[in-house]
Amino acid sequence: FMMTIGGQLQTVDLILLHAQIVLGNWTDVMHSLYLGAKRLGNIFMLIVGLPVLSMKLKFRDTSLLVSLTISMIISFGWLGFSTTYWELYISSLFSSVMPVIEAIIQSQLSKTVPEKHHGKIFATNTVVFDLANILSYVVGMSAFTATYHISSGLVFFIFGGTTALALSLALYLWKIA
């Protein structure tokens, strides 16, 4: 659950607010281009990136989760430091791995849970992802409101730290299991 929240904390509204504060003249067209770049990155990662990483480079599910979560942490850091349009667009490419992480989690669940329980576990997983989206919006907006006067990018460093903490905890639990 913590990993899910850490990965889902990057919300579109926070990026829009950050861009308006840092860049000043961030328009709807620029925001649409940002979202388009992110969606293209999502499609590319699901159709090309995941098969290449898993079949050609022989990454296992755990290796994929770790490397893609690190990509999310990079995305948060990049967003925190971004002061130009192109930097925001580059961050969208790093953050486009979220659907791949969700797909890998679904894959791991289907491998580890008996088939007769798949419906229950996938329904629960969907609820957890949706709840994480709701919570991340509330947490994200609260953190942004509390930190934007210091730096509009500070909230993304907080999210990156949360994601890194979640990844560390997950790896620790995986190691002792």
Side-chain angles (χ1 to χ4, degrees):
F1 187 75
M2 189 174 174
M3 188 71 136
T4 304
I5 291 175
Q8 293 282 339
L9 279 172
Q10 183 176 357
T11 63
V12 173
D13 293 336
L14 292 176
I15 295 166
L16 178 61
L17 288 170
H18 174 63
Q20 287 175 340
I21 290 171
V22 171
L23 304 173
N25 58 350
W26 184 258
T27 65
D28 291 341
V29 172
M30 292 172 180
H31 193 64
S32 295
L33 288 172
Y34 172 85
L35 293 177
K38 186 171 181 172
R39 299 292 186 296
L40 283 174
N42 292 349
I43 293 167
F44 178 80
M45 282 302 297
L46 285 169
I47 294 174
V48 177
L50 186 57
V52 167
L53 288 171
S54 61
M55 290 187 272
K56 297 291 183 192
L57 299 177
K58 306 292 187 210
F59 274 53
R60 296 187 184 271
D61 285 349
T62 306
S63 306
L64 281 168
L65 277 175
V66 169
S67 60
L68 296 175
T69 303
I70 290 170
S71 177
M72 287 295 297
I73 295 168
I74 291 169
S75 172
F76 290 131
W78 195 282
L79 274 167
F81 284 121
S82 63
T83 57
T84 62
Y85 298 115
W86 70 269
E87 291 171 331
L88 288 172
Y89 291 122
I90 294 294
S91 76
S92 72
L93 299 177
F94 285 112
S95 66
S96 66
V97 301
M98 194 59 212
V100 179
I101 292 173
E102 292 174 19
I104 293 168
I105 290 171
Q106 295 279 353
S107 170
Q108 285 187 325
L109 287 173
S110 67
K111 291 176 189 174
T112 57
V113 174
E115 197 170 319
K116 67 181 182 177
H117 297 294
H118 279 188
K120 289 184 266 186
I121 197 69
F122 289 140
T124 303
N125 191 48
T126 300
V127 169
V128 168
F129 273 109
D130 290 344
L131 181 61
N133 278 326
I134 293 168
L135 288 175
S136 69
Y137 186 80
V138 173
V139 169
M141 287 310 231
S142 298
F144 186 82
T145 303
T147 61
Y148 82 93
H149 63 282
I150 299 168
S151 168
S152 63
L154 182 59
V155 70
F156 298 110
F157 295 116
I158 293 169
F159 295 162
T162 304
T163 306
L165 181 65
L167 177 62
S168 301
L169 179 63
L171 289 174
Y172 174 74
L173 292 173
W174 177 65
K175 182 180 176 181
I176 64 170

